[in-house]
Amino acid sequence: SQNMSGALKKIIDAKTLQSLVASGAINKEGIRLFDCTYFPTPFVQAPTLVRTLSLLSTGGEPSKEVAEWQRFKEENYGRFSKMIAAESRAHSIYAASHIPGAVHCDPAIATYPSRYERFTYYPADIFEQYIQLLGVNKGEHIIVYGRGAQGGMLFAGKMAWILKSYGQEKLSLLDGGIENWKKSKFELSKQAVQPQRGDWTAIDRIADCNISLEQLQQKDADGKEFIEKSSETRFIDARVRGQFDGTEDTGLDPYSVPASHIPGFTSMPSSELVNENGLLKSEEEIKKVIPAGDKPIVTICNLGVQASLLSYVLDTVDEKTRPKVYPGSLKEMEKRDPKRISAGRRDLPH
């Protein structure tokens, strides 16, 4: 089994996966398959008015202000069995049609919303419980695929980066997602996999693969912040070019954010990694557009998703890039350091 998974590259094509499915290797030969279907929901950071019947019935205050992330912390934090059992649009889409042997791995269950971050990393000993519930054992190889945006690789790329951040090195991303699998006329299944709990363990490599706002703001002896030293780090913005330039809606609050990107950042959109057939461009084509130099790379976007796909691909085509993702990305920056987003087009409120 180890030989079979050992030969798998970080990015695999549909034909390679098809041969694994056909030979019965998925869930049997130390290989697991994750369907990473996810539908973005608005990330609401402000408190919403919640009317609670229990408070009314006890004669307490009829309403209290609770932000969604606070409610999540109270009701769902780390409760993976409960979240897996809850009905979601993403799970229904998975159940209706997936690659045979795949389990649904939801990036919104693998992470949690916190005050400034849509996808916050759990402590390793909590995160590993989710991956165990999906049936994974120690030493097994995980293949991830998705559907929809950016060749079906956007949220699968996010999930791959999350797994890498917890020490999973035996990892492959399916090029072109389920759409390319369908185009290839390979079989689909409606059979939900009921995995037995595995014994997978996480290793906390979050700091090796990611960087926090606090680290970006760290000052050197001369009072210069890490994020200002673009001669020492290749800072890359993975959003679409129009958002970087400010020629299209950035999704950022124009009342607090003065412009469209951070000074010193270079645009390298993750969407431009994908060709017109919904597959990744060749390694040579991708290498040509990586900002020049040999300095370490930091990637950002709005919510840390496009940055994760970009980092996974960069790490695959050139291991020397050593990319780190800023998971909070510009949506965290918008709340905590908005004036820093001062380059590009100034998008004044209409």
Side-chain angles (χ1 to χ4, degrees):
S1 76
Q2 291 311 309
N3 297 350
M4 190 162 241
S5 70
L8 291 174
K9 297 192 161 106
K10 289 183 185 173
I11 291 165
I12 61 169
D13 60 18
K15 207 171 165 191
T16 303
L17 180 55
Q18 164 60 13
S19 66
L20 294 170
V21 170
S23 69
I26 306 298
N27 301 324
K28 300 255 186 354
E29 308 274 343
I31 298 173
R32 301 285 165 178
L33 182 58
F34 286 180
D35 179 312
C36 304
T37 302
Y38 168 74
F39 292 101
T41 49
F43 178 38
V44 183
Q45 292 156 307
T48 48
L49 212 57
V50 180
R51 294 190 176 279
T52 51
L53 290 169
S54 58
L55 283 169
L56 286 170
S57 61
T58 55
E61 288 296 313
S63 57
K64 59 174 183 166
E65 291 222 333
V66 185
E68 266 176 47
W69 62 271
Q70 288 170 307
R71 191 159 64 233
F72 183 96
K73 196 127 198 186
E74 285 165 22
E75 296 171 8
N76 290 326
Y77 181 92
R79 295 183 186 176
F80 300 116
S81 298
K82 176 188 171 188
M83 289 188 280
I84 290 168
E87 285 304 302
S88 72
R89 181 182 165 206
H91 191 269
S92 308
I93 297 281
Y94 151 79
S97 171
H98 53 266
I99 297 174
V103 293
H104 183 222
C105 177
D106 190 333
I109 297 179
T111 58
Y112 68 96
S114 57
R115 185 170 187 173
Y116 301 113
E117 239 179 284
R118 172 64 193 87
F119 301 102
T120 317
Y121 288 102
Y122 276 108
D125 60 336
I126 296 181
F127 173 80
E128 72 185 12
Q129 296 167 32
Y130 181 44
I131 304 304
Q132 288 170 359
L133 286 169
L134 299 182
V136 184
N137 294 303
K138 282 177 191 160
E140 292 189 323
H141 192 105
I142 299 173
I143 300 169
V144 295
Y145 75 86
R147 61 187 86 211
Q150 303 192 10
M153 293 176 279
L154 184 56
F155 293 105
K158 175 65 176 173
M159 200 58 231
W161 200 257
I162 291 168
L163 287 162
K164 187 178 164 67
S165 298
Y166 292 103
Q168 180 69 20
E169 286 297 330
K170 291 181 175 176
L171 199 51
S172 301
L173 170 68
L174 177 65
D175 192 2
I178 199 168
E179 285 82 3
N180 184 255
W181 177 270
K182 286 178 186 168
K183 251 189 236 173
S184 309
K185 304 276 189 286
F186 295 145
E187 91 180 278
L188 291 161
S189 169
K190 285 185 166 64
Q191 200 178 341
V193 176
Q194 301 295 334
Q196 269 190 301
R197 188 168 189 146
D199 64 4
W200 186 82
T201 50
I203 300 158
D204 185 343
R205 290 199 53 231
I206 295 168
D208 297 333
C209 302
N210 304 272
I211 192 164
S212 65
L213 181 61
E214 288 71 19
Q215 288 171 304
L216 290 171
Q217 293 171 332
Q218 189 91 44
K219 290 181 177 168
D220 63 15
D222 302 322
K224 203 168 188 194
E225 290 178 78
F226 180 86
I227 196 169
E228 295 170 331
K229 296 188 273 192
S230 50
S231 59
E232 292 173 27
T233 302
R234 286 177 283 175
F235 291 109
I236 301 179
D237 190 318
R239 294 172 301 159
V240 297
R241 221 166 270 279
Q243 287 188 317
F244 180 85
D245 296 333
T247 54
E248 58 186 272
D249 184 14
T250 59
L252 301 169
D253 177 6
Y255 290 92
S256 61
V257 175
S260 59
H261 67 258
I262 299 170
F265 275 71
T266 304
S267 175
M268 185 182 174
S270 61
S271 58
E272 292 181 19
L273 298 170
V274 181
N275 67 23
E276 62 283 356
N277 301 316
L279 295 169
L280 282 171
K281 291 176 180 173
S282 73
E283 213 164 285
E284 290 65 41
E285 285 176 283
I286 292 169
K287 278 181 171 170
K288 271 184 208 153
V289 292
I290 301 175
D294 54 2
K295 299 283 187 284
I297 283 176
V298 166
T299 64
I300 65 161
C301 53
N302 265 353
L303 290 167
V305 179
Q306 295 176 96
S308 296
L309 172 59
L310 179 61
S311 291
Y312 188 81
V313 174
L314 288 173
D315 188 53
T316 303
V317 301
D318 181 1
E319 281 183 348
K320 295 195 294 291
T321 55
R322 305 187 304 285
K324 287 189 180 189
V325 171
Y326 167 31
S329 276
L330 291 170
K331 291 304 284 180
E332 177 179 32
M333 195 77 81
E334 167 187 63
K335 291 281 180 285
R336 298 181 65 193
D337 194 1
K339 298 290 170 268
R340 180 160 328 260
I341 309 166
S342 61
R345 185 167 170 182
R346 299 182 73 82
D347 188 19
L348 297 169
H350 303 300

